[in-house]
């Protein structure tokens, strides 16, 4: 994955971009709870499609969505393959030596892979439409200490930085004759010098970042002021009320009426 793809935030003026970061965090948490309780493959796929529609409506690039899919494809495939090996409930579909693979086990593997993909893109819906400053302000206004909010934001920001360093070091090593071919174990062993060089570069960058924060007086005052603070607007309250109503209804239907609790149906 490229460094640009790992820098999830994409500036814009869509409704999602303009929402208060605290409201967006609540929306993501509420819909994540709904996805957690749903077992219906049809509903999970519908939710995943709805999340993609919301992302594209907010101007999120399709290229980045495809890159994220490629990045999580291996994990999702592993879930689908490994889950039936431990879930033996249901009728046996076929046997792999001493292992009996059931249809229900395979279906649950697909359901859980779809759920994880949905939660992953919910996270993209949050960080992809919320800038670093808004993230920090949102956490601080929720009661998180400013130091912790800054640490979280720096951590998210260093993901694309480290990815870019890894790509640069890897290209440099391959230009000098390093051949990354063969089985995955051999590739992992050959990547050790790339990992060491990237890690050293990351430590140097963290030291420079620490000096930059010190030179700007980070931590000198316990009470910080902000040039542009965040505040709840009418659209934020409307979005919050709709989220509470819709997710509350869906959770009640799921827990009390069994909606979405069947693997292949709604009830």
């Amino acid at each position: 994955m490229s460094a640009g793809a790992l820098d999830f935030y994409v500036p814009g003026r869509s409704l999602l971009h303009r929402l208060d970061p605290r409201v967006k965090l609540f929306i993501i948490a509420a819909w994540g709870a709904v996805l957690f309780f749903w077992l219906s493959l049809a509903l999970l796929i519908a939710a995943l499609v709805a999340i993609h529609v919301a992302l594209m409506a907010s101007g999120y690039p399709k290229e980045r969505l495809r890159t994220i899919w490629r990045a999580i494809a291996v994990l999702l495939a592993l879930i689908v393959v490994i889950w039936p090996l431990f879930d033996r409930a249901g009728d046996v579909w076929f046997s792999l030596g001493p292992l009996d693979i059931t249809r229900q086990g395979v279906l649950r593997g697909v359901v859980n892979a779809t759920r994880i993909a949905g939660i992953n893109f919910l996270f993209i819906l949050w960080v992809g439409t919320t800038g670093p400053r808004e993230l920090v302000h949102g956490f601080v206004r929720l009661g998180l200490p400013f130091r912790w909010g800054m640490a979280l934001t720096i951590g998210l920001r260093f993901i694309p930085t480290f990815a870019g360093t890894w790509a640069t070091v890897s290209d440099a090593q391959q230009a000098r004759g390093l051949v990354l071919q063969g089985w995955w174990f051999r590739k992992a062993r050959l990547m050790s010098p790339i990992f060491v060089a990237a890690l050293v570069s990351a430590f140097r960058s963290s030291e420079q970042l620490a000096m930059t924060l010190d030179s700007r007086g980070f931590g000198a005052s316990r009470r910080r002021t902000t040039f542009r603070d965040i505040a709840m607007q009418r659209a934020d309250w409307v979005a919050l009320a709709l989220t509470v109503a819709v997710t509350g209804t869906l959770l009640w239907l799921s827990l009390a009426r069994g909606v979405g609790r069947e693997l292949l149906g709604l009830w």
Side-chain angles (χ1 to χ4, degrees):
M1 181 181 287
S2 64
L6 281 170
D7 192 4
F8 300 113
Y9 175 61
V10 176
R13 293 296 302 168
S14 68
L15 177 61
L16 278 173
H17 284 85
R18 297 195 301 270
L19 283 179
D20 190 284
R22 296 166 291 180
V23 175
K24 282 188 278 189
L25 179 59
F26 180 80
I27 293 174
I28 300 308
W31 278 101
V34 172
L35 294 181
F36 179 80
F37 283 105
W38 274 352
L39 297 177
S40 171
L41 181 59
L43 287 179
L44 288 172
I45 292 176
L48 186 58
V49 172
I51 295 169
H52 278 70
V53 171
L55 281 168
M56 289 186 289
S58 65
Y60 206 79
K62 296 181 180 179
E63 294 77 13
R64 293 202 180 188
L65 293 176
R66 286 194 290 264
T67 303
I68 296 170
W69 269 113
R70 287 195 295 268
I72 66 175
V74 176
L75 174 62
L76 300 180
L78 284 175
I79 294 173
V80 174
V81 171
I82 294 177
W83 194 276
L85 301 179
F86 299 94
D87 191 341
R88 306 296 182 84
D91 299 329
V92 177
W93 190 14
F94 61 90
S95 299
L96 294 175
L99 297 176
D100 294 330
I101 306 301
T102 64
R103 294 179 183 271
Q104 189 174 7
V106 174
L107 185 57
R108 285 183 177 177
V110 176
V111 165
N112 282 283
T114 307
R115 179 185 290 113
I116 289 177
I119 294 175
N120 175 83
F121 282 99
L122 271 178
F123 175 80
I124 301 300
L125 193 65
W126 174 41
V127 299
T129 59
T130 310
R133 291 184 179 180
E134 288 75 18
L135 278 175
V136 175
H137 288 169
F139 283 122
V140 172
R141 292 296 296 272
L142 287 173
L144 189 72
F146 183 82
R147 291 174 178 267
W148 294 8
M150 179 63 74
L152 178 61
T153 305
I154 290 174
L156 292 174
R157 184 63 186 88
F158 256 74
I159 294 176
T161 301
F162 187 78
T165 302
W166 179 278
T168 302
V169 174
S170 178
D171 292 342
Q173 293 286 354
Q174 293 181 63
R176 294 174 182 176
L178 179 64
V179 180
L180 296 176
Q181 295 180 353
W183 294 94
W184 65 270
F185 182 77
R186 182 176 182 273
K187 287 183 179 180
R189 183 172 56 84
L190 291 175
M191 285 183 179
S192 57
I194 301 176
F195 177 76
V196 171
L199 196 61
V200 171
S201 178
F203 284 142
R204 290 176 178 174
S205 299
S206 63
E207 185 178 1
Q208 293 175 356
L209 177 62
M211 290 188 292
T212 301
L213 292 175
D214 287 340
S215 65
R216 295 185 177 184
F218 180 76
S221 175
R222 293 185 177 181
R223 184 175 182 179
R224 296 183 58 88
T225 58
T226 56
F227 177 72
R228 185 177 298 171
D229 204 354
I230 58 175
M232 294 284 289
Q233 305 295 329
R234 179 180 300 176
D236 299 317
W237 290 111
V238 172
L240 187 62
L242 287 175
T243 302
V244 171
V246 174
T247 56
T249 301
L250 292 176
L251 288 174
W252 177 79
L253 289 173
S254 178
L255 297 176
R257 299 296 182 179
V259 176
R261 304 298 293 174
E262 294 292 334
L263 293 176
L264 288 177
L266 301 181
W267 280 273

